[in-house]
Amino acid sequence: MPGRKTDYLDSEWLAEICLNGQIKPSFIPSKEIRELRDLTRTRTKTTQTLTAFKNRVHKVLEKANIRISGVLSELFGIAGLQILNALLDKKDIDEVLKKVKRIGKKKAAIKEAVRGELSQTDIWLIRECLETIDFLKRKINLLDSMINQRIENTKKQDQMQILMSIPGISFTSASAILAEIGDVNVFPNPKSLVGWSGLAPSLNESAGKSSNGHITKKGSKYLRRMLVQCAHVIAGHKPNRLRFFLQRILMKKGKKIAIVAL
């Protein structure tokens, strides 16, 4: 009310609506789910750090005019690491390629891609990154085992199986989704869950006309990111009902809207 707003009056009003039960309580999941959420979010952050160090290795190699990533699909796979370690040790690339398996007809392309030369600083930086990558991989494996144990303790194996039965959702994504949502029965209907997740489109109304805008993004950013990643996996998955739905929306609205809709 204009002209009658002071901290004292506001505190009285807040006390009154609290005593009358007019404030809707916030949803707070159980302690087990909160602890599981801490683990899954830590895993997400660790994975992002791991990706950052991998990108740093790519950057150092490209600066030295060594473009293995353009030939090999995964630089940090078995074959990629064998070639990378050979470059760090200054070994003859022809002798190394004879021992490397699973590269097939790519030998000539790899020889062409490693014409550059690494300096001593480049070699040191890459070795440091590789050590950190190995350390982070061990941490992720440890987190996976802890997450699995927490899920067993909370007796959520049945819900995990339901989530993992959806195409594009693995153990990692299913555990993250379960940790963020907690007990799905708290939500009265699917629309309520979508709104809580921040995936519902905003509603704009002017002069009696309504139109949908961007999603609200008011929910858990961890849940939205994981669901978007799963949607991208489904987009490249073998044909199924979810992919057909994505393609139908894709033709009408474009890729970004289709991914969020999925």
Side-chain angles (χ1 to χ4, degrees):
M1 296 175 65
R4 295 187 63 247
K5 183 171 175 60
T6 64
D7 289 347
Y8 186 83
L9 292 174
D10 283 346
S11 62
E12 283 187 349
W13 173 242
L14 287 172
E16 184 176 339
I17 60 176
C18 283
L19 290 170
N20 292 337
Q22 294 175 269
I23 293 180
K24 187 177 180 180
S26 298
F27 166 58
I28 299 176
S30 63
K31 182 181 178 182
E32 291 80 7
I33 293 297
R34 294 200 304 271
E35 290 179 350
L36 178 62
R37 184 181 293 179
D38 290 337
L39 291 174
T40 55
R41 290 182 178 183
T42 303
R43 191 195 187 283
T44 300
K45 292 290 187 182
T46 308
T47 305
Q48 291 172 353
T49 306
L50 176 67
T51 304
F53 275 95
K54 286 183 176 180
N55 291 338
R56 194 171 298 176
V57 174
H58 284 293
K59 187 176 180 180
V60 174
L61 290 174
E62 289 182 4
K63 186 182 68 174
N65 199 27
I66 298 175
R67 305 183 182 275
I68 312 175
S69 56
V71 181
L72 296 177
S73 58
E74 178 54 53
L75 175 61
F76 298 94
I78 297 174
L81 285 175
Q82 283 181 299
I83 297 170
L84 183 57
N85 287 321
L87 293 173
L88 297 176
D89 295 333
K90 300 286 187 180
K91 293 182 179 179
D92 182 37
I93 192 65
D94 293 318
E95 294 297 325
V96 174
L97 291 178
K98 290 179 183 178
K99 301 177 182 178
V100 178
K101 299 178 180 180
R102 301 178 182 178
I103 56 175
K105 301 177 181 178
K106 297 180 179 179
K107 289 184 179 180
I110 291 172
K111 287 178 64 176
E112 187 70 22
V114 297
R115 285 190 171 186
E117 186 175 352
L118 293 169
S119 66
Q120 291 299 320
T121 302
D122 294 338
I123 292 172
W124 184 84
L125 286 172
I126 292 175
R127 288 191 188 280
E128 287 294 311
C129 288
L130 291 177
E131 288 181 8
T132 306
I133 288 169
D134 289 337
F135 171 76
L136 292 173
K137 283 182 177 179
R138 291 195 299 271
K139 287 296 182 185
I140 290 173
N141 290 334
L142 177 61
L143 283 166
D144 283 338
S145 62
M146 293 177 67
I147 289 169
N148 195 13
Q149 185 178 1
R150 289 287 178 181
I151 290 171
E152 291 179 357
N153 293 339
T154 54
K155 299 179 181 180
K156 298 287 186 181
Q157 293 94 329
D158 293 341
Q159 295 185 24
M160 284 289 293
Q161 292 299 323
I162 293 172
L163 284 169
M164 291 170 65
S165 68
I166 302 171
I169 294 185
S170 62
F171 171 81
T172 302
S173 51
S175 58
I177 292 169
L178 180 64
E180 294 300 326
I181 295 177
D183 185 9
V184 73
N185 296 316
V186 172
F187 303 95
N189 52 58
K191 286 186 177 181
S192 175
L193 175 56
V194 172
W196 178 83
S197 304
L199 288 167
S202 57
L203 183 63
N204 301 320
E205 187 172 353
S206 179
K209 295 183 179 179
S210 300
S211 62
N212 289 327
H214 298 290
I215 58 174
T216 59
K217 294 185 179 181
K218 290 184 178 180
S220 169
K221 62 180 180 181
Y222 296 95
L223 177 60
R224 283 196 306 278
R225 287 174 182 172
M226 187 57 68
L227 291 175
V228 167
Q229 288 178 16
C230 294
H232 279 289
V233 173
I234 294 169
H237 204 270
K238 61 183 180 180
N240 55 65
R241 289 178 63 186
L242 294 175
R243 187 178 175 186
F244 293 149
F245 170 82
L246 174 72
Q247 291 172 341
R248 181 164 56 85
I249 304 297
L250 189 66
M251 295 173 63
K252 299 177 182 179
K253 302 288 187 179
K255 187 173 182 179
K256 289 185 177 180
I257 294 178
I259 288 291
V260 172
L262 178 61

